Amino acid sequence: MNDTDKRHLLKAAPSDILKSLPEMDRVMVIVRADGLLHERLGKVDKVDVQAETIRLSGPCQDMDIDRSMLASAEYDTSSQMRGKHYPRLDFLGNDGGILFSVVGLEGLEPFEKPLTGLDRVPVDMRPRPDPGDADPDLDTDPARPFLEGLVGGPEVTVQVRTGAVTQKWTGKVEDMKPMGGCFNILLKDFHLHLPAGCLSGWSEEEGWHHGILKDGGRSALSIGLDR
């Protein structure tokens, strides 16, 4: 099987493809923004399609999508780990960039089944994201003290907001692991991977801490404290 057999443009409206998510068993919904990854893991119980928005919801999912930003979806079956397939849907914007992705966590069959009847055309594989600095300084990174202070504290909401989507998780941060060049919060239904060197610090406003990028701009990441 060559690469053109492994990635296809699906000839269907992205909103219709999203409606099939509740049939796909456990998935990981991924938003990549400003170098970080915000991931929700679990079944999508409901997809509510309105004129302007689409909402993904369930005990383990919480995403709001600006419907006008969705242009197309590409289906990628190239990823395997230890003999298991991790199929992926990439939802694209009008510029062809990936707005967010949905990865099947239970193998190819439950993910592929609701997509079987859709027409598709082969497309080129996309390059993998640049891993960045292989050995960043995790110890002195300005993002670290605030993140460490969340561990063992009250519930927080960790939110990523882009021009197209908002995804949230609310709960208690049980641990924060600095490893692999990132600050990682790894829970059953939520992962955050924040690379060292991504933020210059945090600004506080009305109970929310907003990540500040190295250039002084506001990051897509914000954390609300329940205090």
Side-chain angles (χ1 to χ4, degrees):
M1 180 179 287
N2 58 46
D3 284 347
T4 59
D5 296 319
K6 296 180 180 179
R7 189 173 181 94
H8 294 83
L9 172 68
L10 298 181
K11 305 293 281 184
S15 57
D16 290 335
I17 297 169
L18 286 166
K19 290 177 185 177
S20 68
L21 295 187
E23 303 174 51
M24 293 182 174
D25 208 326
R26 293 177 63 250
V27 298
M28 178 163 58
V29 183
I30 306 168
V31 181
R32 183 186 296 272
D34 301 327
L36 65 89
L37 290 173
H38 187 290
E39 303 167 340
R40 294 302 313 268
L41 298 85
K43 291 191 69 173
V44 176
D45 284 0
K46 184 178 180 182
V47 178
D48 184 17
V49 178
Q50 300 294 327
E52 297 181 354
T53 61
I54 302 172
R55 176 162 177 74
L56 313 184
S57 61
C60 301
Q61 300 291 350
D62 187 342
M63 174 180 272
D64 292 294
I65 305 161
D66 182 343
R67 190 174 177 181
S68 70
M69 301 290 287
L70 289 174
S72 60
E74 294 181 357
Y75 179 41
D76 191 311
T77 57
S78 65
S79 181
Q80 292 189 58
M81 187 181 301
R82 299 176 182 174
K84 182 177 179 180
H85 281 88
Y86 290 89
R88 185 178 75 252
L89 285 166
D90 290 327
F91 289 88
L92 313 182
N94 294 315
D95 64 355
I98 298 174
L99 304 178
F100 65 97
S101 301
V102 180
V103 173
L105 299 178
E106 300 299 336
L108 186 60
E109 184 177 355
F111 200 85
E112 166 71 22
K113 187 175 180 179
L115 304 176
T116 300
L118 299 181
D119 291 336
R120 59 193 71 186
V121 294
V123 293
D124 291 337
M125 300 294 293
R126 288 180 175 251
R128 294 183 180 275
D130 185 348
D133 187 352
D135 189 25
D137 185 355
L138 290 165
D139 292 334
T140 62
D141 191 277
R144 181 169 184 159
F146 174 67
L147 293 173
E148 286 185 325
L150 301 177
V151 178
E155 284 195 349
V156 298
T157 296
V158 182
Q159 172 180 280
V160 63
R161 183 191 297 271
T162 72
V165 302
T166 299
Q167 182 164 259
K168 300 177 183 177
W169 169 82
T170 298
K172 292 186 176 183
V173 178
E174 300 168 358
D175 196 9
M176 193 280 292
K177 300 181 184 297
M179 61 183 185
C182 293
F183 300 107
N184 305 281
I185 298 173
L186 303 172
L187 301 168
K188 183 177 180 181
D189 64 348
F190 171 62
H191 294 169
L192 176 70
H193 305 285
L194 177 65
C198 182
L199 301 182
S200 63
W202 304 86
S203 66
E204 185 176 2
E205 182 181 348
E206 297 180 351
W208 286 86
H209 282 70
H210 302 281
I212 302 301
L213 298 171
K214 290 292 188 179
D215 64 3
R218 179 175 287 188
S219 166
L221 178 66
S222 56
I223 300 178
L225 304 180
D226 184 14
R227 292 177 179 166

mmCIF file of all heavy atoms in Angstrom, residues 112-152:
data_model
loop_
_atom_site.group_PDB
_atom_site.id
_atom_site.type_symbol
_atom_site.label_atom_id
_atom_site.label_comp_id
_atom_site.label_asym_id
_atom_site.label_seq_id
_atom_site.Cartn_x
_atom_site.Cartn_y
_atom_site.Cartn_z
ATOM 1 N N GLU A 112 -13.902 3.482 10.878
ATOM 2 C CA GLU A 112 -14.136 3.435 9.433
ATOM 3 C C GLU A 112 -15.592 3.168 9.085
ATOM 4 O O GLU A 112 -16.103 3.678 8.068
ATOM 5 C CB GLU A 112 -13.248 2.339 8.822
ATOM 6 C CG GLU A 112 -13.597 1.933 7.404
ATOM 7 C CD GLU A 112 -13.264 2.990 6.366
ATOM 8 O OE1 GLU A 112 -12.400 3.845 6.649
ATOM 9 O OE2 GLU A 112 -13.878 2.970 5.286
ATOM 10 N N LYS A 113 -16.280 2.389 9.905
ATOM 11 C CA LYS A 113 -17.617 1.914 9.533
ATOM 12 C C LYS A 113 -18.577 3.031 9.128
ATOM 13 O O LYS A 113 -19.211 2.958 8.068
ATOM 14 C CB LYS A 113 -18.207 1.078 10.663
ATOM 15 C CG LYS A 113 -19.509 0.396 10.305
ATOM 16 C CD LYS A 113 -19.972 -0.520 11.424
ATOM 17 C CE LYS A 113 -21.282 -1.215 11.055
ATOM 18 N NZ LYS A 113 -21.742 -2.121 12.130
ATOM 19 N N PRO A 114 -18.731 4.129 9.918
ATOM 20 C CA PRO A 114 -19.679 5.170 9.501
ATOM 21 C C PRO A 114 -19.200 6.011 8.321
ATOM 22 O O PRO A 114 -19.969 6.792 7.769
ATOM 23 C CB PRO A 114 -19.846 6.029 10.760
ATOM 24 C CG PRO A 114 -18.665 5.758 11.590
ATOM 25 C CD PRO A 114 -18.215 4.372 11.282
ATOM 26 N N LEU A 115 -17.948 5.834 7.912
ATOM 27 C CA LEU A 115 -17.396 6.586 6.773
ATOM 28 C C LEU A 115 -17.411 5.781 5.477
ATOM 29 O O LEU A 115 -17.093 6.317 4.408
ATOM 30 C CB LEU A 115 -15.951 7.002 7.072
ATOM 31 C CG LEU A 115 -15.710 7.812 8.355
ATOM 32 C CD1 LEU A 115 -14.208 8.038 8.538
ATOM 33 C CD2 LEU A 115 -16.457 9.134 8.320
ATOM 34 N N THR A 116 -17.793 4.509 5.555
ATOM 35 C CA THR A 116 -17.634 3.588 4.430
ATOM 36 C C THR A 116 -18.330 4.068 3.158
ATOM 37 O O THR A 116 -17.791 3.951 2.051
ATOM 38 C CB THR A 116 -18.165 2.194 4.806
ATOM 39 O OG1 THR A 116 -17.427 1.714 5.935
ATOM 40 C CG2 THR A 116 -18.027 1.216 3.656
ATOM 41 N N GLY A 117 -19.511 4.627 3.274
ATOM 42 C CA GLY A 117 -20.269 5.014 2.090
ATOM 43 C C GLY A 117 -19.890 6.343 1.485
ATOM 44 O O GLY A 117 -20.475 6.750 0.473
ATOM 45 N N LEU A 118 -18.914 7.037 2.042
ATOM 46 C CA LEU A 118 -18.555 8.369 1.548
ATOM 47 C C LEU A 118 -17.584 8.280 0.374
ATOM 48 O O LEU A 118 -16.589 7.551 0.432
ATOM 49 C CB LEU A 118 -17.925 9.191 2.673
ATOM 50 C CG LEU A 118 -18.791 9.453 3.911
ATOM 51 C CD1 LEU A 118 -18.029 10.305 4.914
ATOM 52 C CD2 LEU A 118 -20.114 10.116 3.529
ATOM 53 N N ASP A 119 -17.859 9.055 -0.674
ATOM 54 C CA ASP A 119 -16.908 9.166 -1.772
ATOM 55 C C ASP A 119 -15.645 9.848 -1.272
ATOM 56 O O ASP A 119 -15.693 10.709 -0.377
ATOM 57 C CB ASP A 119 -17.516 9.979 -2.919
ATOM 58 C CG ASP A 119 -18.653 9.235 -3.606
ATOM 59 O OD1 ASP A 119 -18.688 7.991 -3.536
ATOM 60 O OD2 ASP A 119 -19.511 9.921 -4.200
ATOM 61 N N ARG A 120 -14.515 9.487 -1.872
ATOM 62 C CA ARG A 120 -13.237 10.050 -1.430
ATOM 63 C C ARG A 120 -12.246 10.049 -2.577
ATOM 64 O O ARG A 120 -12.357 9.247 -3.515
ATOM 65 C CB ARG A 120 -12.687 9.250 -0.248
ATOM 66 C CG ARG A 120 -12.464 7.768 -0.545
ATOM 67 C CD ARG A 120 -12.218 6.946 0.711
ATOM 68 N NE ARG A 120 -13.430 6.803 1.507
ATOM 69 C CZ ARG A 120 -13.480 6.242 2.702
ATOM 70 N NH1 ARG A 120 -12.377 5.789 3.260
ATOM 71 N NH2 ARG A 120 -14.619 6.139 3.357
ATOM 72 N N VAL A 121 -11.273 10.950 -2.501
ATOM 73 C CA VAL A 121 -10.214 11.003 -3.507
ATOM 74 C C VAL A 121 -8.869 11.045 -2.787
ATOM 75 O O VAL A 121 -8.738 11.679 -1.730
ATOM 76 C CB VAL A 121 -10.367 12.232 -4.427
ATOM 77 C CG1 VAL A 121 -11.628 12.128 -5.262
ATOM 78 C CG2 VAL A 121 -10.381 13.530 -3.620
ATOM 79 N N PRO A 122 -7.863 10.337 -3.316
ATOM 80 C CA PRO A 122 -6.548 10.332 -2.664
ATOM 81 C C PRO A 122 -5.924 11.721 -2.655
ATOM 82 O O PRO A 122 -6.078 12.504 -3.597
ATOM 83 C CB PRO A 122 -5.727 9.364 -3.525
ATOM 84 C CG PRO A 122 -6.728 8.576 -4.301
ATOM 85 C CD PRO A 122 -7.902 9.478 -4.509
ATOM 86 N N VAL A 123 -5.215 12.022 -1.575
ATOM 87 C CA VAL A 123 -4.463 13.278 -1.464
ATOM 88 C C VAL A 123 -3.091 12.961 -0.885
ATOM 89 O O VAL A 123 -2.866 11.881 -0.322
ATOM 90 C CB VAL A 123 -5.189 14.315 -0.584
ATOM 91 C CG1 VAL A 123 -6.466 14.790 -1.246
ATOM 92 C CG2 VAL A 123 -5.471 13.760 0.802
ATOM 93 N N ASP A 124 -2.174 13.898 -1.018
ATOM 94 C CA ASP A 124 -0.817 13.707 -0.502
ATOM 95 C C ASP A 124 -0.818 13.659 1.022
ATOM 96 O O ASP A 124 -1.628 14.330 1.683
ATOM 97 C CB ASP A 124 0.089 14.845 -0.967
ATOM 98 C CG ASP A 124 0.358 14.807 -2.470
ATOM 99 O OD1 ASP A 124 0.237 13.709 -3.065
ATOM 100 O OD2 ASP A 124 0.667 15.872 -3.034
ATOM 101 N N MET A 125 0.125 12.886 1.558
ATOM 102 C CA MET A 125 0.333 12.880 2.995
ATOM 103 C C MET A 125 0.839 14.247 3.447
ATOM 104 O O MET A 125 1.534 14.942 2.706
ATOM 105 C CB MET A 125 1.356 11.807 3.372
ATOM 106 C CG MET A 125 0.928 10.397 2.983
ATOM 107 S SD MET A 125 -0.515 9.813 3.892
ATOM 108 C CE MET A 125 0.167 9.704 5.545
ATOM 109 N N ARG A 126 0.492 14.618 4.654
ATOM 110 C CA ARG A 126 0.980 15.888 5.215
ATOM 111 C C ARG A 126 2.258 15.649 6.006
ATOM 112 O O ARG A 126 2.411 14.612 6.649
ATOM 113 C CB ARG A 126 -0.085 16.515 6.121
ATOM 114 C CG ARG A 126 -1.255 17.071 5.335
ATOM 115 C CD ARG A 126 -2.301 17.677 6.236
ATOM 116 N NE ARG A 126 -3.335 18.295 5.419
ATOM 117 C CZ ARG A 126 -3.515 19.615 5.300
ATOM 118 N NH1 ARG A 126 -2.747 20.442 5.955
ATOM 119 N NH2 ARG A 126 -4.471 20.095 4.524
ATOM 120 N N PRO A 127 3.182 16.623 5.989
ATOM 121 C CA PRO A 127 4.407 16.457 6.777
ATOM 122 C C PRO A 127 4.088 16.452 8.268
ATOM 123 O O PRO A 127 3.134 17.080 8.726
ATOM 124 C CB PRO A 127 5.245 17.688 6.392
ATOM 125 C CG PRO A 127 4.248 18.689 5.895
ATOM 126 C CD PRO A 127 3.151 17.899 5.256
ATOM 127 N N ARG A 128 4.878 15.721 9.022
ATOM 128 C CA ARG A 128 4.695 15.688 10.462
ATOM 129 C C ARG A 128 5.128 17.019 11.072
ATOM 130 O O ARG A 128 6.048 17.671 10.572
ATOM 131 C CB ARG A 128 5.525 14.559 11.080
ATOM 132 C CG ARG A 128 5.050 13.173 10.658
ATOM 133 C CD ARG A 128 5.841 12.082 11.352
ATOM 134 N NE ARG A 128 5.391 10.764 10.964
ATOM 135 C CZ ARG A 128 4.364 10.131 11.532
ATOM 136 N NH1 ARG A 128 3.705 10.713 12.524
ATOM 137 N NH2 ARG A 128 4.009 8.932 11.134
ATOM 138 N N PRO A 129 4.479 17.455 12.177
ATOM 139 C CA PRO A 129 4.870 18.714 12.819
ATOM 140 C C PRO A 129 6.316 18.687 13.298
ATOM 141 O O PRO A 129 6.823 17.634 13.713
ATOM 142 C CB PRO A 129 3.898 18.810 14.014
ATOM 143 C CG PRO A 129 2.741 17.939 13.641
ATOM 144 C CD PRO A 129 3.310 16.830 12.807
ATOM 145 N N ASP A 130 6.969 19.810 13.224
ATOM 146 C CA ASP A 130 8.345 19.950 13.697
ATOM 147 C C ASP A 130 8.377 19.745 15.213
ATOM 148 O O ASP A 130 7.665 20.431 15.952
ATOM 149 C CB ASP A 130 8.855 21.354 13.349
ATOM 150 C CG ASP A 130 10.318 21.557 13.703
ATOM 151 O OD1 ASP A 130 10.890 20.717 14.420
ATOM 152 O OD2 ASP A 130 10.886 22.577 13.272
ATOM 153 N N PRO A 131 9.210 18.807 15.719
ATOM 154 C CA PRO A 131 9.241 18.579 17.165
ATOM 155 C C PRO A 131 9.869 19.713 17.961
ATOM 156 O O PRO A 131 9.734 19.774 19.193
ATOM 157 C CB PRO A 131 10.071 17.303 17.292
ATOM 158 C CG PRO A 131 10.926 17.281 16.059
ATOM 159 C CD PRO A 131 10.085 17.905 14.979
ATOM 160 N N GLY A 132 10.564 20.635 17.287
ATOM 161 C CA GLY A 132 11.147 21.778 17.976
ATOM 162 C C GLY A 132 12.426 21.422 18.708
ATOM 163 O O GLY A 132 13.110 20.441 18.403
ATOM 164 N N ASP A 133 12.763 22.205 19.742
ATOM 165 C CA ASP A 133 13.993 22.033 20.506
ATOM 166 C C ASP A 133 13.989 20.665 21.178
ATOM 167 O O ASP A 133 13.095 20.324 21.943
ATOM 168 C CB ASP A 133 14.086 23.144 21.558
ATOM 169 C CG ASP A 133 15.415 23.143 22.295
ATOM 170 O OD1 ASP A 133 16.201 22.198 22.096
ATOM 171 O OD2 ASP A 133 15.654 24.087 23.062
ATOM 172 N N ALA A 134 15.039 19.881 20.911
ATOM 173 C CA ALA A 134 15.108 18.532 21.460
ATOM 174 C C ALA A 134 15.467 18.511 22.941
ATOM 175 O O ALA A 134 15.237 17.518 23.620
ATOM 176 C CB ALA A 134 16.126 17.714 20.672
ATOM 177 N N ASP A 135 16.053 19.595 23.451
ATOM 178 C CA ASP A 135 16.489 19.609 24.852
ATOM 179 C C ASP A 135 16.217 20.972 25.489
ATOM 180 O O ASP A 135 17.139 21.697 25.867
ATOM 181 C CB ASP A 135 17.984 19.267 24.915
ATOM 182 C CG ASP A 135 18.445 19.040 26.343
ATOM 183 O OD1 ASP A 135 17.604 18.678 27.190
ATOM 184 O OD2 ASP A 135 19.649 19.231 26.613
ATOM 185 N N PRO A 136 14.942 21.346 25.636
ATOM 186 C CA PRO A 136 14.623 22.643 26.228
ATOM 187 C C PRO A 136 14.834 22.629 27.743
ATOM 188 O O PRO A 136 14.927 21.572 28.371
ATOM 189 C CB PRO A 136 13.136 22.819 25.897
ATOM 190 C CG PRO A 136 12.621 21.422 25.855
ATOM 191 C CD PRO A 136 13.732 20.589 25.279
ATOM 192 N N ASP A 137 14.919 23.812 28.333
ATOM 193 C CA ASP A 137 15.132 23.944 29.774
ATOM 194 C C ASP A 137 13.789 23.926 30.480
ATOM 195 O O ASP A 137 13.074 24.928 30.538
ATOM 196 C CB ASP A 137 15.874 25.249 30.059
ATOM 197 C CG ASP A 137 16.236 25.384 31.529
ATOM 198 O OD1 ASP A 137 15.833 24.507 32.329
ATOM 199 O OD2 ASP A 137 16.912 26.364 31.883
ATOM 200 N N LEU A 138 13.415 22.776 31.023
ATOM 201 C CA LEU A 138 12.151 22.641 31.738
ATOM 202 C C LEU A 138 12.221 23.237 33.142
ATOM 203 O O LEU A 138 11.213 23.695 33.675
ATOM 204 C CB LEU A 138 11.769 21.160 31.827
ATOM 205 C CG LEU A 138 11.348 20.492 30.520
ATOM 206 C CD1 LEU A 138 11.348 18.981 30.678
ATOM 207 C CD2 LEU A 138 9.981 20.960 30.077
ATOM 208 N N ASP A 139 13.406 23.239 33.730
ATOM 209 C CA ASP A 139 13.526 23.644 35.139
ATOM 210 C C ASP A 139 13.236 25.127 35.353
ATOM 211 O O ASP A 139 12.600 25.507 36.339
ATOM 212 C CB ASP A 139 14.927 23.318 35.664
ATOM 213 C CG ASP A 139 15.168 21.822 35.770
ATOM 214 O OD1 ASP A 139 14.173 21.073 35.925
ATOM 215 O OD2 ASP A 139 16.338 21.396 35.682
ATOM 216 N N THR A 140 13.698 25.975 34.456
ATOM 217 C CA THR A 140 13.571 27.419 34.657
ATOM 218 C C THR A 140 12.507 28.055 33.758
ATOM 219 O O THR A 140 12.408 29.273 33.697
ATOM 220 C CB THR A 140 14.921 28.115 34.404
ATOM 221 O OG1 THR A 140 15.322 27.900 33.043
ATOM 222 C CG2 THR A 140 15.992 27.565 35.338
ATOM 223 N N ASP A 141 11.722 27.239 33.092
ATOM 224 C CA ASP A 141 10.719 27.786 32.181
ATOM 225 C C ASP A 141 9.687 28.602 32.958
ATOM 226 O O ASP A 141 9.183 28.162 34.001
ATOM 227 C CB ASP A 141 10.022 26.648 31.443
ATOM 228 C CG ASP A 141 9.173 27.159 30.293
ATOM 229 O OD1 ASP A 141 8.028 27.567 30.557
ATOM 230 O OD2 ASP A 141 9.652 27.154 29.154
ATOM 231 N N PRO A 142 9.327 29.800 32.483
ATOM 232 C CA PRO A 142 8.406 30.662 33.233
ATOM 233 C C PRO A 142 6.982 30.122 33.346
ATOM 234 O O PRO A 142 6.212 30.578 34.189
ATOM 235 C CB PRO A 142 8.426 31.974 32.449
ATOM 236 C CG PRO A 142 8.949 31.631 31.090
ATOM 237 C CD PRO A 142 9.880 30.487 31.288
ATOM 238 N N ALA A 143 6.609 29.163 32.534
ATOM 239 C CA ALA A 143 5.264 28.579 32.645
ATOM 240 C C ALA A 143 5.164 27.595 33.802
ATOM 241 O O ALA A 143 4.061 27.297 34.277
ATOM 242 C CB ALA A 143 4.897 27.874 31.339
ATOM 243 N N ARG A 144 6.287 27.090 34.274
ATOM 244 C CA ARG A 144 6.279 25.960 35.210
ATOM 245 C C ARG A 144 5.679 26.260 36.582
ATOM 246 O O ARG A 144 4.852 25.463 37.070
ATOM 247 C CB ARG A 144 7.698 25.402 35.359
ATOM 248 C CG ARG A 144 7.764 24.211 36.302
ATOM 249 C CD ARG A 144 9.094 23.508 36.245
ATOM 250 N NE ARG A 144 9.097 22.324 37.081
ATOM 251 C CZ ARG A 144 9.945 21.307 36.944
ATOM 252 N NH1 ARG A 144 10.865 21.340 35.987
ATOM 253 N NH2 ARG A 144 9.885 20.256 37.745
ATOM 254 N N PRO A 145 6.049 27.344 37.267
ATOM 255 C CA PRO A 145 5.548 27.528 38.636
ATOM 256 C C PRO A 145 4.027 27.543 38.739
ATOM 257 O O PRO A 145 3.457 26.925 39.666
ATOM 258 C CB PRO A 145 6.152 28.876 39.055
ATOM 259 C CG PRO A 145 7.383 28.993 38.226
ATOM 260 C CD PRO A 145 7.037 28.385 36.909
ATOM 261 N N PHE A 146 3.345 28.212 37.819
ATOM 262 C CA PHE A 146 1.882 28.248 37.866
ATOM 263 C C PHE A 146 1.295 26.863 37.642
ATOM 264 O O PHE A 146 0.370 26.445 38.346
ATOM 265 C CB PHE A 146 1.340 29.234 36.836
ATOM 266 C CG PHE A 146 -0.159 29.219 36.722
ATOM 267 C CD1 PHE A 146 -0.958 29.659 37.773
ATOM 268 C CD2 PHE A 146 -0.778 28.747 35.572
ATOM 269 C CE1 PHE A 146 -2.343 29.629 37.681
ATOM 270 C CE2 PHE A 146 -2.151 28.719 35.474
ATOM 271 C CZ PHE A 146 -2.941 29.154 36.525
ATOM 272 N N LEU A 147 1.837 26.131 36.669
ATOM 273 C CA LEU A 147 1.329 24.794 36.396
ATOM 274 C C LEU A 147 1.542 23.860 37.589
ATOM 275 O O LEU A 147 0.659 23.081 37.951
ATOM 276 C CB LEU A 147 2.008 24.213 35.155
ATOM 277 C CG LEU A 147 1.678 24.894 33.826
ATOM 278 C CD1 LEU A 147 2.542 24.326 32.705
ATOM 279 C CD2 LEU A 147 0.200 24.747 33.478
ATOM 280 N N GLU A 148 2.689 23.955 38.219
ATOM 281 C CA GLU A 148 2.945 23.124 39.397
ATOM 282 C C GLU A 148 1.992 23.469 40.532
ATOM 283 O O GLU A 148 1.574 22.592 41.301
ATOM 284 C CB GLU A 148 4.393 23.295 39.865
ATOM 285 C CG GLU A 148 5.394 22.606 38.966
ATOM 286 C CD GLU A 148 6.811 22.671 39.497
ATOM 287 O OE1 GLU A 148 7.174 23.705 40.111
ATOM 288 O OE2 GLU A 148 7.569 21.711 39.281
ATOM 289 N N GLY A 149 1.615 24.736 40.623
ATOM 290 C CA GLY A 149 0.696 25.157 41.670
ATOM 291 C C GLY A 149 -0.714 24.634 41.506
ATOM 292 O O GLY A 149 -1.505 24.670 42.456
ATOM 293 N N LEU A 150 -1.050 24.131 40.331
ATOM 294 C CA LEU A 150 -2.384 23.573 40.108
ATOM 295 C C LEU A 150 -2.539 22.190 40.715
ATOM 296 O O LEU A 150 -3.656 21.761 41.018
ATOM 297 C CB LEU A 150 -2.673 23.477 38.608
ATOM 298 C CG LEU A 150 -2.639 24.769 37.799
ATOM 299 C CD1 LEU A 150 -2.869 24.456 36.318
ATOM 300 C CD2 LEU A 150 -3.674 25.763 38.298
ATOM 301 N N VAL A 151 -1.421 21.475 40.884
ATOM 302 C CA VAL A 151 -1.464 20.088 41.330
ATOM 303 C C VAL A 151 -1.982 19.997 42.765
ATOM 304 O O VAL A 151 -1.478 20.675 43.659
ATOM 305 C CB VAL A 151 -0.070 19.435 41.215
ATOM 306 C CG1 VAL A 151 -0.111 17.997 41.734
ATOM 307 C CG2 VAL A 151 0.422 19.469 39.776
ATOM 308 N N GLY A 152 -3.007 19.183 42.946
ATOM 309 C CA GLY A 152 -3.580 18.996 44.271
ATOM 310 C C GLY A 152 -4.525 20.103 44.702
ATOM 311 O O GLY A 152 -5.043 20.068 45.825
#
